[in-house]
Amino acid sequence: MGKDSISTDGAYLVIRDGQKWSDVFRLVPGRTVTIGRAATNNIVVREDKASRLHAEIFFSDENWMVRDLGSRNGTLVGDEMLQGDRRLVPGDVVHIASTELRFVDELTSASGARGGKRDATPAAGAFKKGDQQNDDNPLNNDPQTEYNRPAGQYKVSEPQTITHRRQRPKILTESSDEILVDVDLPPAGLAAKKICRLAFELANVRSSKKIADLALERLIKETGTDSGAILLVPRNRRTTVDPKRLEALATYSQIRPEYQRISKYLAETALRNGEAVLARDVQDDSALGLRDSEGKIYATSVICAPIRLKNRSVGLVHLYSTTTKVLDPDDLEFTLAVAETIGVALNTNYREQKLVDDLSKTKNQISILRDQLGVESEIIGNSPAMFRVHQQISKAAPSRATVLVRGESGVGKELVARSVHLTSDRRSGSFICINCAALSESLLESELFGHEKGAFTGATERKAGKFEAADKGTLMLDEIGEMSPSIQAKFLRVLEGHPFERVGGSRAIQVNVRVIAATNRDLEESVRQGTFRKDLFFRLHVVQIDVPPLRDRPEDVIDLAEYFLEKFKKETGRKIDGFSPAAIEQLKQYSWPGNVRELKNVVERAVVLAGSSTIGLDDVILTKLPAIEQHAPTPMSDPTSFQAETLEQVEARHIAATLESTGWNKSQAAKALGIERSTLDRKIKKFGLTR
């Protein structure tokens, strides 16, 4: 019986699609046949009325059964809608949409009446080759399988047989011992199999140290040596061949003494010439550098292979044997292949880490830019005090000196720092601001210097710090006086130009960052109290910019108020014409203990809550907090100037100062003092205060 022949002892589905017989499908006991529109079915019905998984035919209890699989339009057997499982008998016709599947036990019986309302199918022998009616043949277009051929010569669609199944390749899942017993492979094929396995494992390692450890472990095991190392040339010394300067990523030694460094001769040969070398029977230490306690060389053979990264030698694989095991050229070939694999793995690891660092920097910069979108970059004010600030900024910006911005909270120290950055030659770089008072000591260290993955709980990935993100730009440290002493020491080293390391890391990082520090504290007093390092204070106190409080520049109050009014009108969409004369007078007379920040909040509140198109006196809601001279020395800061006073004397002086600041407007003074007007009158009379 030929390849395309079939036995008549079986069951078949003769398929008719539309007006033509299209195929014959052989049914095999134990194999379920699925029918539907999806391409994954054994029999595909390409009609919209067919469901993706329409029906199935299966063998059960010596009978062939048909079952509808919850199709949308149902399945017919003859003229009856299929309900549940139904046994098929020869001659049954299964209808799915307009497709017919006739069940027969012999191909010669594929004749007689069709099921349903269709015309009778001509007998198998009714068609002759060349007849006009031959279009009704199942496979008329194939001269080898014409319908009128004997049944044994039909070309029948057979269900495909799966012979093997495997989820993962054996070469990547078998153990090292299983690889060694593969007797069907020649030595070269076995070595290639090991290299393939090692390359796959190295591709899944995420650190240079683990890459070196895994590679060295396999090299020692496969070559049979007892000592070896993976060595890297320091990144800033790519041309060195001094063995003492090579960084040992991984070392191993089974014997005493411990692993011995490679000689300069072998290192130079491998690094400069880019050649892997095998040395044997060396009579002096010029090539090996290995001696026992009596000064005799005990190494029998040595292999040294270069690790290449982008066609440049960046490291070495160094193996040597001190036993009867003598390394051969096959070991050299294997070691060189592993060295090349290490180079590829290290390159991939470096690129991945660079991508992680770049992504971390980009995230930082995006976050910073988002924070800065709503922050004003223009300093408002034409008072003499602000003119001096502008002069200081213009002088400080061109230099690279560290700047210390001092002023009370809310005066706009960040705006001054940003102006220094924008008028300097670093304007194209990042301007990054971090508040030292808002973070704990450990978190502040991580934010400033970054951290490695796993450095502490929650460190799920490597993160670049603010110093790295601000490279070639400006870093502003607000509230520098709140920095802890331990971080002050590390911060000072970076200011002095030294490299730093991420939290949990060991790689030195060098950055080019200009630092601007800001504080509202009396740093000199903090130095005297020992809470702030004296050397850090002098390092920061190179160029100082003093930002005056708003009460010392009342000329700028109305300009600032009008600026904020326009800003919040655009944000809220409210139509506000401006301030009433009474409101303007109120803004001028107020002492502004919260400085520009308080003025901004007052105007925003007035815009939101104003009941008319003009901001009136009732819309300007001010606090009762007195202005505090934050930089004025306190009595305790200079014990020699302290003079004891009674509480009444302090109260009288304070009330008098408040009255003077309000132009003896008793209503405003009482409001600022937080007392009733009648109470203020009694105290004026009690203390004998006069204008």
Side-chain angles (χ1 to χ4, degrees), residues 452-467:
E452 297 288 344
K453 181 179 179 181
F456 50 83
T457 303
T460 57
E461 61 181 17
R462 173 188 282 187
K463 178 183 177 182
K466 293 295 189 287
F467 268 107

Side-chain angles (χ1 to χ4, degrees), residues 556-619:
D556 297 331
V557 172
I558 302 305
D559 289 341
L560 286 165
E562 292 177 348
Y563 172 79
F564 291 133
L565 175 62
E566 292 300 320
K567 177 180 184 297
F568 294 122
K569 279 169 57 178
K570 292 179 181 178
E571 290 184 4
T572 61
R574 297 206 60 186
K575 295 181 179 180
I576 306 293
D577 296 332
F579 298 93
S580 68
I584 291 177
E585 188 63 27
Q586 178 85 323
L587 295 175
K588 288 181 177 179
Q589 295 297 330
Y590 187 57
S591 57
W592 300 109
N595 291 297
V596 180
R597 183 185 294 121
E598 183 184 6
L599 175 59
K600 175 184 175 183
N601 295 336
V602 167
V603 175
E604 182 178 12
R605 185 189 306 115
V607 171
V608 173
L609 301 178
S612 64
S613 60
T614 302
I615 296 177
L617 185 62
D618 294 337
D619 299 320

Side-chain angles (χ1 to χ4, degrees), residues 253-280:
S253 180
Q254 291 180 341
I255 48 87
R256 295 287 180 180
E258 296 297 334
Y259 166 75
Q260 301 295 303
R261 285 277 181 174
I262 189 173
S263 70
K264 186 174 182 180
Y265 171 74
L266 288 181
E268 186 175 46
T269 302
L271 287 175
R272 290 190 174 172
N273 301 337
E275 297 177 339
V277 294
L278 168 64
R280 295 182 189 163

Side-chain angles (χ1 to χ4, degrees), residues 145-164:
T145 56
E146 293 176 355
Y147 197 111
N148 56 357
R149 284 184 175 275
Q153 296 184 16
Y154 267 108
K155 185 175 183 179
V156 181
S157 298
E158 295 280 358
Q160 295 183 2
T161 302
I162 299 175
T163 59
H164 296 80

Side-chain angles (χ1 to χ4, degrees), residues 69-84:
L69 298 176
S71 63
R72 182 175 66 253
N73 295 312
T75 303
L76 289 173
V77 179
D79 292 327
E80 298 179 3
M81 184 67 70
L82 182 61
Q83 300 289 339

Side-chain angles (χ1 to χ4, degrees), residues 550-558 581-593 598-599 617 620 622-623 625-627 657-669 671-672 691:
L550 188 55
R551 62 179 173 275
D552 290 348
R553 48 187 180 108
E555 308 95 316
D556 297 331
V557 172
I558 302 305
I584 291 177
E585 188 63 27
Q586 178 85 323
L587 295 175
K588 288 181 177 179
Q589 295 297 330
Y590 187 57
S591 57
W592 300 109
E598 183 184 6
L599 175 59
L617 185 62
V620 179
L622 303 175
T623 68
L625 294 174
T658 304
L659 287 167
E660 290 294 334
S661 67
T662 61
W664 271 80
N665 185 321
K666 294 182 181 180
S667 297
Q668 290 186 15
K671 191 175 182 179
R691 187 168 185 174

